[in-house]
Amino acid sequence: MWMCIAVFLLWTRSGGCTDKANTSDLIEYTAADFYDKLHSAKMMFIYFERQVSPTISLFLYELEKSAEVLQDFGILVGKINCNKELLPSYCTSERVLHTAFLFRGGKEFLSFDLDTVFDVNSIVSEVLFAILRDEVKYVHSDADLLAMEKTARGKKDIVLGYVSSLGTQEHRSMMETAYVYGSKYQFILITGGPVLKHLGVNESSPSSRVWFLHCRVHTGFMTPMISERCPLTRMRKPLSTLSFHSFLQLMEAPLVSEVYDDPSAVQPPQFPYQQTPQVFLFSRRETEHLDLDTATTLAWRLRGLALLLLVHRESPAVKTPDEYNAAYRLPEKGSEVKYLTLHNLDEVLELFIHQEKEAESEEEEEEEGVEEDEEEDSHFGNLDDEIAAIVYENRGNLLDMDSITHLTSENFHAVVAQGSPTVVLFYLKWDAVSMAFLSSFIEVAERLAESEVDDVQMSMVDCGEWTDFCAAQPGSSLPIPFQPITTFPSVLLLHPQESAQHYRGMLGSEALHRFIMLSRPASPVSLSTLEEVTSFLQEVPYPELAAYKPDRVLGLFKTHTHTGLPVFTEAAKSLRGEVLTGLLTDGLAEKWAADHTVDLPAVLVFPSWRTHTHPSKLPLSSSAEELLSHINTALLHPLPELTVENLPSFLTLGKALLLLFVGEEEDEIGRRQNKALVEEMRGVVEFGGERMERYLACWIHLGRTPAGMSVLGSYLGSMPPLPALVLTHLPSGDEIYQYPPSTPIVAPAVLQWLQRVEDGTESSAGMLGEDKWPPAVPFYDFLKIMDKEEPGFAQQLSPKEEEEEEEEEEDEAEANVEEDVVLEETTDSSSNSPTPDPDPPSHSEL
């Protein structure tokens, strides 16, 4: 009905539709003008008018309003009166009555039914959408979006817009912004579907949304992206062209700005950030690095909400009292700085989220079934460190720990002495990495239980509660078979009467499960028949390892009593969980030694990347440490492919990395090119000979390891064309060298380039950052902290001090007896109740 009323009002105001059409300011082209503009390759949006009706008159009115808007985008808008100018191609066709045409490049580009271009918003949005069809992508599923993210990584950030329907004001704002910023960002449009579920939006929600996906390689404060998904920020203001522009400007703002003035003296945000709140955190010289990390973490969580500034207290201009550690300023005119004393970062988020909720309360009331709070929590988690996000999102999920044994200093020895291997997790409840890994640890324990693996005990220690146990020295009163735990989380493998073995793999369920399964067989396992040796080399000991190909080591000794056997046994125990080790003696060992032309005793190494028929042959070393070094060298691939999982082990070698980055192959030609590049690198290793021993030649496939894009971008400051070859992690310095991108990667040229680097005639392309990755939190002595707050409150007394204190308290014995009686009455009056331990083990209970 409203459409009829609008037509009627337009009819009566204009004195009839014919008059309105005739007096319109809409440009009316002649046939000559039309062909002239067409041949000049101008973009034109044209309606061929044959007859006028109320509906056509309304369309022409909206078309006139859109002409000025589209002119700003270089698009001419007008009409041709077919009653005056006869264009046979269009004026004689019946379809022109309800169709408008877009011309581009001298020919018809697209036609629009008038039902889809009914007002100025739909005209502008549909025309721009048609022009930007190659720049603005439309995705239908989450898989499509993931593919777009992978393509954009290291190249462009993504702007993702959701509109409930096309042709609306929000759609127009999206297209106008995409026209301006299309070369800078990758724009994606959705109107519903599974993608909304991934973004946490109810598909029935009528509100348009915009998200900014941080896919480009960022330097400075950008947290390395370890997930295949790009972190995202949601625009919280209603979608309009102006708010959209301001939002994109805010995404380009510095993440953290460092200032040396008092917050009251800092200027309010200037254009285009003048409507953005400011948050101030304070930094001290002695904690500067930690303060910057904290500010960066908060800045990511406030992304799109506020600008964060880090104030250096050592500056004489800073007058803020020490009792305050934060401040903020709202964008209203004359708004003063307000100072706060915060205990955690969430208090800042609560402040701004509360204001946002008040501003959006009316909108939330209109949207049924939308849980706005949970959605915002989800996005804040995505913007923070990914590990912390996982913990935050699962904060309400209680973990099932029935399959885990809780260890303390009281039951530790009894549990470990049961004989079966004990896997112990040392963790802190307030450490995000610990809590994220705890769920993986429990998952492995449940997986072992379901597989009926009953010869492994899964245990855990909360080092926030049992600080004395985790920090105990091996020679202390508590005979603990491990060094003090100082990094969290830590996993140890314990066997009775043996030293603890550290788990150094990835903090994930698959890697930990594989480590435990490889730890179950004896190290070394004694092999007495040829069938057992064949099974050892060609099969895995358990079905759960069927998809994994482990490294293997065989020790060959003439007798079980050979003097060198303890050296091999000690080395084998150190390799437990990572390498399968076997032992051959007597006649079988002599046969294998003869087959492989080695003298007994000997060690045969079977790397997983090589067939079992060509092992590496090692003599027996004089010490287990030396033998381990030789074994690890033999296991090293001459040209390894780096992954997130194996990179730390290669960095521990202390060699410079000659690192080749190759892209994801799109076809067979790409696969052949990448294979040829890897072969050239293999040639570098072979032709370089001993000279290449100081380097570790390796490569990263960015399709299988997308995190490599962040690494490459951080090395060079931007994403170079692929393939890219860099030299980094030099023992002599932090310089990074890039092989000339315009020079083909062939072995002789690479060796010449390395020689120029060694001679000092090659310029570096960048420097390694000085960022350190210390433990998430130090090992706190909470008793000492409590004593600082209230001296003597939690002081742990020595036995001598306890005796002195007991003598001083003898006069209070009667009072203590009365207190004990009261205690017994309030707890349990039964005579069978256990007597409290008069000397309970001391530990922190926080």
Side-chain angles (χ1 to χ4, degrees), residues 406-411 426-428 430 460-472 478 482 485 488 779-780 782 840-846:
H406 293 263
L407 293 183
T408 68
S409 57
E410 297 175 318
N411 65 359
F426 296 85
Y427 74 103
L428 295 170
W430 57 88
M460 59 194 299
V461 179
D462 180 0
C463 289
E465 180 175 357
W466 296 93
T467 55
D468 58 332
F469 175 53
C470 297
L478 293 172
F482 54 82
I485 306 299
F488 304 95
F779 189 79
Y780 290 112
F782 283 99
S842 59
H843 63 276
S844 301
E845 297 190 21
L846 302 180

Tab-separated table of all heavy atoms in Angstrom, residues 406-411 426-428 430 460-472 478 482 485 488 779-780 782 840-846:
chain	number	residue	atom	x	y	z
A	406	HIS	N	45.907	-36.567	40.537
A	406	HIS	CA	46.458	-35.323	41.060
A	406	HIS	C	47.615	-35.644	42.006
A	406	HIS	O	47.433	-36.299	43.039
A	406	HIS	CB	45.379	-34.522	41.796
A	406	HIS	CG	44.300	-34.019	40.885
A	406	HIS	ND1	44.294	-32.740	40.372
A	406	HIS	CD2	43.212	-34.637	40.375
A	406	HIS	CE1	43.235	-32.592	39.596
A	406	HIS	NE2	42.563	-33.727	39.585
A	407	LEU	N	48.798	-35.178	41.626
A	407	LEU	CA	49.987	-35.464	42.416
A	407	LEU	C	50.267	-34.334	43.404
A	407	LEU	O	50.039	-33.155	43.109
A	407	LEU	CB	51.203	-35.649	41.514
A	407	LEU	CG	51.223	-36.874	40.592
A	407	LEU	CD1	52.540	-36.939	39.835
A	407	LEU	CD2	50.998	-38.146	41.386
A	408	THR	N	50.772	-34.727	44.570
A	408	THR	CA	51.248	-33.787	45.582
A	408	THR	C	52.559	-34.343	46.131
A	408	THR	O	52.989	-35.440	45.773
A	408	THR	CB	50.229	-33.638	46.723
A	408	THR	OG1	50.158	-34.866	47.450
A	408	THR	CG2	48.846	-33.283	46.191
A	409	SER	N	53.185	-33.595	47.019
A	409	SER	CA	54.407	-34.099	47.635
A	409	SER	C	54.119	-35.316	48.509
A	409	SER	O	55.030	-36.095	48.826
A	409	SER	CB	55.050	-32.986	48.478
A	409	SER	OG	54.132	-32.502	49.453
A	410	GLU	N	52.856	-35.513	48.889
A	410	GLU	CA	52.506	-36.654	49.745
A	410	GLU	C	52.410	-37.961	48.961
A	410	GLU	O	52.874	-39.007	49.422
A	410	GLU	CB	51.172	-36.383	50.450
A	410	GLU	CG	51.202	-35.190	51.384
A	410	GLU	CD	49.826	-34.901	51.953
A	410	GLU	OE1	48.837	-34.978	51.195
A	410	GLU	OE2	49.744	-34.603	53.154
A	411	ASN	N	51.775	-37.926	47.777
A	411	ASN	CA	51.521	-39.183	47.065
A	411	ASN	C	52.444	-39.392	45.873
A	411	ASN	O	52.321	-40.387	45.161
A	411	ASN	CB	50.064	-39.240	46.592
A	411	ASN	CG	49.746	-38.171	45.556
A	411	ASN	OD1	50.600	-37.360	45.191
A	411	ASN	ND2	48.503	-38.145	45.096
A	426	PHE	N	52.849	-30.252	34.737
A	426	PHE	CA	53.010	-29.191	35.726
A	426	PHE	C	52.414	-27.915	35.119
A	426	PHE	O	52.865	-27.474	34.055
A	426	PHE	CB	54.486	-28.985	36.058
A	426	PHE	CG	55.134	-30.181	36.707
A	426	PHE	CD1	55.651	-31.216	35.940
A	426	PHE	CD2	55.223	-30.267	38.087
A	426	PHE	CE1	56.253	-32.317	36.520
A	426	PHE	CE2	55.821	-31.374	38.688
A	426	PHE	CZ	56.338	-32.399	37.905
A	427	TYR	N	51.430	-27.350	35.786
A	427	TYR	CA	50.704	-26.228	35.187
A	427	TYR	C	50.348	-25.181	36.243
A	427	TYR	O	50.492	-25.404	37.451
A	427	TYR	CB	49.437	-26.726	34.498
A	427	TYR	CG	48.318	-27.118	35.447
A	427	TYR	CD1	47.235	-26.284	35.658
A	427	TYR	CD2	48.358	-28.331	36.144
A	427	TYR	CE1	46.210	-26.636	36.523
A	427	TYR	CE2	47.354	-28.694	37.016
A	427	TYR	CZ	46.272	-27.841	37.196
A	427	TYR	OH	45.269	-28.180	38.068
A	428	LEU	N	49.890	-24.019	35.737
A	428	LEU	CA	49.385	-22.936	36.580
A	428	LEU	C	47.980	-22.582	36.118
A	428	LEU	O	47.741	-22.402	34.917
A	428	LEU	CB	50.285	-21.698	36.492
A	428	LEU	CG	51.710	-21.843	37.033
A	428	LEU	CD1	52.530	-20.618	36.655
A	428	LEU	CD2	51.694	-22.033	38.541
A	430	TRP	N	46.293	-19.874	36.316
A	430	TRP	CA	46.083	-18.534	35.747
A	430	TRP	C	46.882	-18.318	34.461
A	430	TRP	O	46.877	-17.233	33.912
A	430	TRP	CB	46.438	-17.452	36.768
A	430	TRP	CG	47.848	-17.556	37.271
A	430	TRP	CD1	48.965	-17.010	36.732
A	430	TRP	CD2	48.282	-18.280	38.420
A	430	TRP	NE1	50.067	-17.347	37.457
A	430	TRP	CE2	49.675	-18.133	38.516
A	430	TRP	CE3	47.631	-19.051	39.383
A	430	TRP	CZ2	50.428	-18.712	39.533
A	430	TRP	CZ3	48.383	-19.623	40.382
A	430	TRP	CH2	49.753	-19.449	40.461
A	460	MET	N	48.947	-34.901	37.100
A	460	MET	CA	49.107	-33.456	36.980
A	460	MET	C	49.408	-32.848	38.344
A	460	MET	O	49.036	-33.389	39.384
A	460	MET	CB	47.841	-32.821	36.391
A	460	MET	CG	46.587	-33.076	37.204
A	460	MET	SD	45.071	-32.692	36.309
A	460	MET	CE	45.286	-30.980	35.996
A	461	VAL	N	50.102	-31.703	38.306
A	461	VAL	CA	50.442	-30.976	39.526
A	461	VAL	C	50.106	-29.506	39.310
A	461	VAL	O	50.582	-28.896	38.338
A	461	VAL	CB	51.936	-31.123	39.880
A	461	VAL	CG1	52.248	-30.329	41.142
A	461	VAL	CG2	52.321	-32.575	40.046
A	462	ASP	N	49.295	-28.939	40.178
A	462	ASP	CA	49.006	-27.509	40.159
A	462	ASP	C	50.114	-26.803	40.938
A	462	ASP	O	50.128	-26.802	42.162
A	462	ASP	CB	47.638	-27.246	40.788
A	462	ASP	CG	47.285	-25.763	40.793
A	462	ASP	OD1	48.100	-24.953	40.313
A	462	ASP	OD2	46.183	-25.417	41.265
A	463	CYS	N	51.051	-26.194	40.200
A	463	CYS	CA	52.205	-25.571	40.853
A	463	CYS	C	51.850	-24.259	41.530
A	463	CYS	O	52.681	-23.697	42.250
A	463	CYS	CB	53.328	-25.345	39.831
A	463	CYS	SG	54.112	-26.887	39.305
A	464	GLY	N	50.657	-23.755	41.312
A	464	GLY	CA	50.224	-22.603	42.078
A	464	GLY	C	49.847	-22.967	43.493
A	464	GLY	O	49.939	-22.152	44.403
A	465	GLU	N	49.478	-24.229	43.682
A	465	GLU	CA	49.116	-24.712	45.021
A	465	GLU	C	50.294	-25.412	45.692
A	465	GLU	O	50.557	-25.208	46.872
A	465	GLU	CB	47.927	-25.665	44.914
A	465	GLU	CG	47.478	-26.208	46.252
A	465	GLU	CD	46.231	-27.061	46.137
A	465	GLU	OE1	45.695	-27.175	45.013
A	465	GLU	OE2	45.800	-27.609	47.164
A	466	TRP	N	51.025	-26.223	44.936
A	466	TRP	CA	52.134	-26.990	45.500
A	466	TRP	C	53.457	-26.373	45.056
A	466	TRP	O	54.260	-26.998	44.363
A	466	TRP	CB	52.027	-28.456	45.088
A	466	TRP	CG	50.802	-29.098	45.648
A	466	TRP	CD1	49.591	-29.211	45.052
A	466	TRP	CD2	50.656	-29.668	46.949
A	466	TRP	NE1	48.694	-29.817	45.883
A	466	TRP	CE2	49.321	-30.116	47.063
A	466	TRP	CE3	51.527	-29.848	48.037
A	466	TRP	CZ2	48.846	-30.729	48.219
A	466	TRP	CZ3	51.042	-30.462	49.172
A	466	TRP	CH2	49.723	-30.895	49.263
A	467	THR	N	53.681	-25.165	45.485
A	467	THR	CA	54.884	-24.433	45.062
A	467	THR	C	56.156	-25.093	45.592
A	467	THR	O	57.160	-25.145	44.883
A	467	THR	CB	54.816	-22.985	45.558
A	467	THR	OG1	54.620	-22.979	46.976
A	467	THR	CG2	53.675	-22.246	44.906
A	468	ASP	N	56.127	-25.588	46.813
A	468	ASP	CA	57.323	-26.199	47.384
A	468	ASP	C	57.695	-27.481	46.642
A	468	ASP	O	58.872	-27.799	46.446
A	468	ASP	CB	57.107	-26.501	48.880
A	468	ASP	CG	55.909	-27.408	49.119
A	468	ASP	OD1	54.966	-27.365	48.286
A	468	ASP	OD2	55.907	-28.156	50.104
A	469	PHE	N	56.690	-28.222	46.199
A	469	PHE	CA	56.936	-29.462	45.477
A	469	PHE	C	57.527	-29.179	44.092
A	469	PHE	O	58.513	-29.788	43.683
A	469	PHE	CB	55.628	-30.245	45.357
A	469	PHE	CG	55.727	-31.491	44.540
A	469	PHE	CD1	56.697	-32.452	44.804
A	469	PHE	CD2	54.846	-31.731	43.495
A	469	PHE	CE1	56.793	-33.601	44.044
A	469	PHE	CE2	54.935	-32.878	42.736
A	469	PHE	CZ	55.903	-33.821	43.014
A	470	CYS	N	56.944	-28.227	43.365
A	470	CYS	CA	57.422	-27.928	42.008
A	470	CYS	C	58.807	-27.288	42.033
A	470	CYS	O	59.569	-27.414	41.076
A	470	CYS	CB	56.442	-26.999	41.296
A	470	CYS	SG	54.800	-27.725	41.036
A	471	ALA	N	59.134	-26.579	43.112
A	471	ALA	CA	60.420	-25.882	43.187
A	471	ALA	C	61.464	-26.650	43.975
A	471	ALA	O	62.554	-26.136	44.223
A	471	ALA	CB	60.220	-24.505	43.828
A	472	ALA	N	61.152	-27.899	44.366
A	472	ALA	CA	62.079	-28.665	45.207
A	472	ALA	C	63.363	-28.973	44.458
A	472	ALA	O	63.352	-29.294	43.271
A	472	ALA	CB	61.412	-29.961	45.664
A	478	LEU	N	63.036	-33.486	50.149
A	478	LEU	CA	62.135	-34.243	49.309
A	478	LEU	C	62.930	-34.812	48.133
A	478	LEU	O	63.364	-34.061	47.256
A	478	LEU	CB	61.006	-33.340	48.780
A	478	LEU	CG	60.023	-32.803	49.822
A	478	LEU	CD1	59.100	-31.788	49.176
A	478	LEU	CD2	59.217	-33.939	50.431
A	482	PHE	N	63.661	-34.663	39.557
A	482	PHE	CA	63.680	-33.690	38.466
A	482	PHE	C	64.133	-32.341	39.006
A	482	PHE	O	64.073	-32.080	40.215
A	482	PHE	CB	62.299	-33.564	37.803
A	482	PHE	CG	61.169	-33.261	38.758
A	482	PHE	CD1	60.908	-31.964	39.188
A	482	PHE	CD2	60.345	-34.282	39.214
A	482	PHE	CE1	59.875	-31.685	40.054
A	482	PHE	CE2	59.303	-34.019	40.085
A	482	PHE	CZ	59.064	-32.709	40.510
A	485	ILE	N	60.784	-26.906	38.448
A	485	ILE	CA	59.983	-26.535	37.276
A	485	ILE	C	59.888	-25.006	37.230
A	485	ILE	O	59.380	-24.378	38.161
A	485	ILE	CB	58.576	-27.154	37.352
A	485	ILE	CG1	58.681	-28.668	37.543
A	485	ILE	CG2	57.790	-26.816	36.093
A	485	ILE	CD1	59.379	-29.398	36.426
A	488	PHE	N	56.023	-23.092	32.327
A	488	PHE	CA	54.709	-23.727	32.377
A	488	PHE	C	53.989	-23.523	31.043
A	488	PHE	O	54.075	-22.452	30.465
A	488	PHE	CB	53.873	-23.126	33.514
A	488	PHE	CG	54.544	-23.215	34.853
A	488	PHE	CD1	55.279	-22.153	35.341
A	488	PHE	CD2	54.449	-24.363	35.608
A	488	PHE	CE1	55.915	-22.231	36.572
A	488	PHE	CE2	55.079	-24.456	36.836
A	488	PHE	CZ	55.815	-23.392	37.312
A	779	PHE	N	58.039	-17.974	38.220
A	779	PHE	CA	57.637	-18.895	39.283
A	779	PHE	C	57.556	-18.108	40.585
A	779	PHE	O	58.561	-17.777	41.187
A	779	PHE	CB	58.653	-20.038	39.396
A	779	PHE	CG	58.185	-21.114	40.313
A	779	PHE	CD1	57.260	-22.041	39.873
A	779	PHE	CD2	58.652	-21.208	41.612
A	779	PHE	CE1	56.828	-23.051	40.702
A	779	PHE	CE2	58.210	-22.201	42.451
A	779	PHE	CZ	57.293	-23.126	41.992
A	780	TYR	N	56.359	-17.788	40.968
A	780	TYR	CA	56.156	-16.908	42.119
A	780	TYR	C	56.301	-17.663	43.439
A	780	TYR	O	55.850	-18.808	43.564
A	780	TYR	CB	54.767	-16.278	42.080
A	780	TYR	CG	54.592	-15.276	40.987
A	780	TYR	CD1	53.738	-15.530	39.919
A	780	TYR	CD2	55.281	-14.063	41.007
A	780	TYR	CE1	53.564	-14.614	38.904
A	780	TYR	CE2	55.111	-13.140	39.993
A	780	TYR	CZ	54.259	-13.420	38.951
A	780	TYR	OH	54.093	-12.509	37.952
A	782	PHE	N	54.606	-17.389	46.493
A	782	PHE	CA	53.436	-16.696	47.016
A	782	PHE	C	53.527	-16.472	48.528
A	782	PHE	O	52.960	-15.519	49.049
A	782	PHE	CB	52.172	-17.478	46.670
A	782	PHE	CG	51.764	-17.302	45.246
A	782	PHE	CD1	52.092	-18.256	44.298
A	782	PHE	CD2	51.073	-16.178	44.846
A	782	PHE	CE1	51.728	-18.093	42.983
A	782	PHE	CE2	50.708	-16.011	43.525
A	782	PHE	CZ	51.035	-16.961	42.591
A	840	PRO	N	51.205	-31.195	59.338
A	840	PRO	CA	50.806	-31.357	57.934
A	840	PRO	C	51.874	-30.803	57.008
A	840	PRO	O	52.640	-29.925	57.387
A	840	PRO	CB	49.526	-30.522	57.839
A	840	PRO	CG	49.669	-29.491	58.916
A	840	PRO	CD	50.439	-30.144	60.013
A	841	PRO	N	51.971	-31.326	55.780
A	841	PRO	CA	52.956	-30.808	54.829
A	841	PRO	C	52.647	-29.371	54.479
A	841	PRO	O	51.498	-28.993	54.293
A	841	PRO	CB	52.788	-31.732	53.613
A	841	PRO	CG	51.396	-32.263	53.726
A	841	PRO	CD	51.119	-32.369	55.186
A	842	SER	N	53.682	-28.576	54.431
A	842	SER	CA	53.485	-27.146	54.155
A	842	SER	C	53.352	-26.922	52.660
A	842	SER	O	54.114	-27.440	51.872
A	842	SER	CB	54.688	-26.350	54.680
A	842	SER	OG	55.874	-26.786	54.078
A	843	HIS	N	52.345	-26.169	52.265
A	843	HIS	CA	52.185	-25.784	50.863
A	843	HIS	C	51.255	-24.585	50.814
A	843	HIS	O	50.544	-24.268	51.761
A	843	HIS	CB	51.621	-26.930	50.026
A	843	HIS	CG	50.246	-27.351	50.433
A	843	HIS	ND1	50.035	-28.231	51.469
A	843	HIS	CD2	49.030	-27.007	49.949
A	843	HIS	CE1	48.728	-28.419	51.602
A	843	HIS	NE2	48.104	-27.690	50.703
A	844	SER	N	51.272	-23.901	49.672
A	844	SER	CA	50.427	-22.727	49.489
A	844	SER	C	49.060	-23.164	49.014
A	844	SER	O	48.939	-23.960	48.103
A	844	SER	CB	51.047	-21.789	48.445
A	844	SER	OG	52.322	-21.378	48.847
A	845	GLU	N	48.030	-22.640	49.624
A	845	GLU	CA	46.668	-22.905	49.180
A	845	GLU	C	46.027	-21.568	48.863
A	845	GLU	O	45.578	-20.857	49.764
A	845	GLU	CB	45.879	-23.649	50.266
A	845	GLU	CG	46.461	-25.025	50.578
A	845	GLU	CD	45.537	-25.839	51.463
A	845	GLU	OE1	44.342	-25.522	51.493
A	845	GLU	OE2	46.016	-26.776	52.110
A	846	LEU	N	46.024	-21.232	47.580
A	846	LEU	CA	45.482	-19.937	47.151
A	846	LEU	C	44.304	-20.196	46.243
A	846	LEU	O	44.372	-21.022	45.379
A	846	LEU	CB	46.570	-19.154	46.402
A	846	LEU	CG	47.852	-18.900	47.208
A	846	LEU	CD1	48.836	-18.129	46.361
A	846	LEU	CD2	47.536	-18.121	48.460
